[in-house]
Amino acid sequence: MKHSILASTLMLTLATPALADDITVGFAIAKSGWMEAYDSPAATAAKIRIDEINAGGGLLGQKVKWVEVDTKTDRAQSAKAGLQVLDEGADMMVVSCDYDFGAPAALAAESAGKNSFFLCAEDVKAGIQGVGPNSFSGSVLAAVQGATMAEWSQAAREAKTGYVLLDTTIEYNKGICTGFDWMFPKAGGEIIGRDTFKNNDASIASQISRIKALPQEPDVIMLCSYIPGAAAAVRQLRAAGITSLILNGSAVDGSYWLDAVPDLSGFVLPVQGSIYGDDPRAEVESFNQAYEATTGARPASQYAYPGYILIDLWAKAVERAGSVEGAAVTAELEKMQGEATAFGPRSFSDMLHHQNSAKMQIIEIADAKPGVVGDWTISEPVPLDVLLK
């Protein structure tokens, strides 16, 4: 009798699939150092989407959990963090916003055959071209931001002449200007001058002198920079009496820096969604409120949004693949063309794991108050050869 019970128990064990482990997302991100200001909001947004997925029954019938290791805004630590979250069972890895600081961790995921997503990197190398075939970014390329400003300024403000002022400190800035340089003349405008500076330059007086020496003030100045250098440049341009419409990329989203430029007007940038409560899409404001409920404050800039988007897209691909295996998920992500998200449609291909076109909300700062003044989608995607310049 005892042998019969043992045999029956063994047969039942063999016939019943073992309970599957939870699906694990590994965050190898900056929780300290200057990158923390970019990584933490986007990571919080990613976790909000994970909680929503779990509340809806999970992914492939399993709960999604997450593990996290601090890269300390250090490239060597980024590689170690990537290996550690893999050791802790990560099925997919989320890495820092910036390509330089996220790539070491992403390369660890690539070597393990896992998918990686940069939280908000906007350099084309944060993907196939720099990491490998299983790496993606949740954000919109910097060149798209510059191209959006170029085309929108001509269509909405009848800009005919433009001046390019490039902060050469990081690749992101160069990407913005690359997109503007490509689209502005293509759309019928003329770039009448260009100059450079560094983000930590105390003064751009010589650059301002060259702008003021032009026969006529440019209609727009494409300022490719980030805070604090962007704020200092804008303050000096306005103090010098230059009234041109100033354009920039998404990196300057948020009102936190406006005290540095009192009563600022005539400043425009593109964003993936508005943090100011005036986005025309109800889903965006719903997210803003969910973020506030989680953290006690609304997002400080649009850079929270890509974290939510990347988990949303990855989870859809996992369900369609029926697996978390890297190559299978990649294949499903690359099929996405105009995939709906709360922040607009997103697309990937086997050539590009970024957005080289996207519907952007246009934010204008007038009398020191930012607000949506419209939206714009560039008339054609930024070509790969332009992105790789």
Side-chain angles (χ1 to χ4, degrees):
M1 186 61 143
K2 182 185 289 187
H3 293 298
S4 177
I5 293 172
L6 287 172
S8 297
T9 302
L10 180 59
M11 289 177 64
L12 181 62
T13 301
L14 292 173
T16 304
L19 290 175
D21 293 332
D22 292 335
I23 292 172
T24 302
V25 174
F27 288 87
I29 61 169
K31 293 171 64 64
S32 57
W34 68 267
M35 277 298 301
E36 187 272 339
Y38 291 91
D39 286 6
S40 282
T44 296
K47 293 165 190 172
I48 289 172
R49 185 67 188 114
I50 289 172
D51 287 344
E52 291 175 349
I53 290 168
N54 285 336
L59 192 56
L60 301 180
Q62 301 164 249
K63 291 294 185 183
V64 182
K65 69 177 186 179
W66 52 269
V67 296
E68 189 170 65
V69 177
D70 186 6
T71 66
K72 302 178 182 178
T73 313
D74 180 84
R75 293 170 188 171
Q77 185 60 32
S78 173
K80 293 176 184 176
L83 292 172
Q84 186 172 335
V85 297
L86 289 172
D87 286 344
E88 293 181 21
D91 296 297
M92 183 272 262
M93 194 183 302
V94 176
V95 304
S96 279
C97 274
D98 182 75
Y99 168 72
D100 290 327
F101 290 93
L107 287 166
E110 192 69 38
S111 295
K114 309 283 187 182
N115 292 113
S116 65
F117 263 92
F118 287 78
L119 279 168
C120 54
E122 294 165 354
D123 182 334
V124 71
K125 294 190 294 298
I128 300 172
Q129 286 74 19
V131 175
N134 294 312
S135 185
F136 295 78
S137 175
S139 201
V140 175
L141 285 162
V144 175
Q145 300 165 32
T148 298
M149 288 290 85
E151 198 169 44
W152 174 86
S153 66
Q154 293 186 48
R157 299 297 165 87
E158 300 182 344
K160 298 291 190 293
T161 59
Y163 194 95
V164 175
L165 188 54
L166 168 63
D167 171 358
T168 59
T169 308
I170 60 174
E171 291 299 315
Y172 166 80
N173 300 338
K174 298 172 187 177
I176 302 171
C177 278
T178 293
F180 185 86
D181 287 343
W182 169 71
M183 180 60 84
F184 197 75
K186 189 178 183 67
E190 180 186 3
I191 296 174
I192 59 174
R194 61 181 66 246
D195 216 329
T196 62
F197 71 106
K198 291 284 189 182
N199 198 266
N200 60 357
D201 284 351
S203 170
I204 58 165
S206 58
Q207 292 89 336
I208 287 172
S209 294
R210 288 188 282 272
I211 294 172
K212 291 180 74 68
L214 293 169
Q216 190 170 354
E217 192 174 272
D219 295 327
V220 297
I221 294 174
M222 184 69 239
L223 176 63
C224 306
S225 186
Y226 61 98
I227 305 300
V234 171
R235 183 175 62 249
Q236 293 174 69
L237 287 164
R238 289 294 186 248
I242 294 173
T243 60
S244 304
L245 188 68
I246 301 175
L247 314 173
N248 209 323
S250 303
V252 294
D253 186 32
S255 58
Y256 61 94
W257 59 274
L258 293 181
D259 287 346
V261 192
D263 304 317
L264 177 63
S265 289
F267 187 93
V268 184
L269 63 142
V271 294
Q272 295 176 60
S274 174
I275 63 173
Y276 305 108
D278 57 355
D279 197 291
R281 299 161 296 184
E283 300 93 332
V284 175
E285 185 55 24
S286 292
F287 170 82
N288 290 337
Q289 293 173 12
Y291 188 94
E292 184 174 17
T294 300
T295 66
R298 291 170 66 87
S301 82
Q302 65 111 48
Y303 279 100
Y305 301 148
Y308 188 91
I309 293 168
L310 74 87
I311 293 294
D312 187 49
L313 295 175
W314 172 76
K316 288 177 180 177
V318 167
E319 289 285 2
R320 293 168 190 174
S323 169
V324 294
E325 192 272 323
V329 175
T330 290
E332 292 301 326
L333 285 165
E334 290 177 346
K335 293 175 186 176
M336 291 181 174
Q337 294 298 309
E339 188 74 31
T341 79
F343 301 91
R346 296 291 184 263
S347 302
F348 296 115
S349 73
D350 61 0
M351 296 292 291
L352 189 64
H353 289 178
H354 286 263
Q355 306 309 304
N356 62 346
S357 178
K359 184 176 184 177
M360 306 294 283
Q361 300 300 308
I362 307 301
I363 301 291
E364 181 166 9
I365 297 171
D367 297 323
K369 185 177 180 180
V372 174
V373 293
D375 60 64
W376 195 263
T377 305
I378 51 178
S379 56
E380 61 179 287
V382 183
L384 189 58
D385 64 330
V386 173
L387 296 173
L388 294 173
K389 281 184 178 179

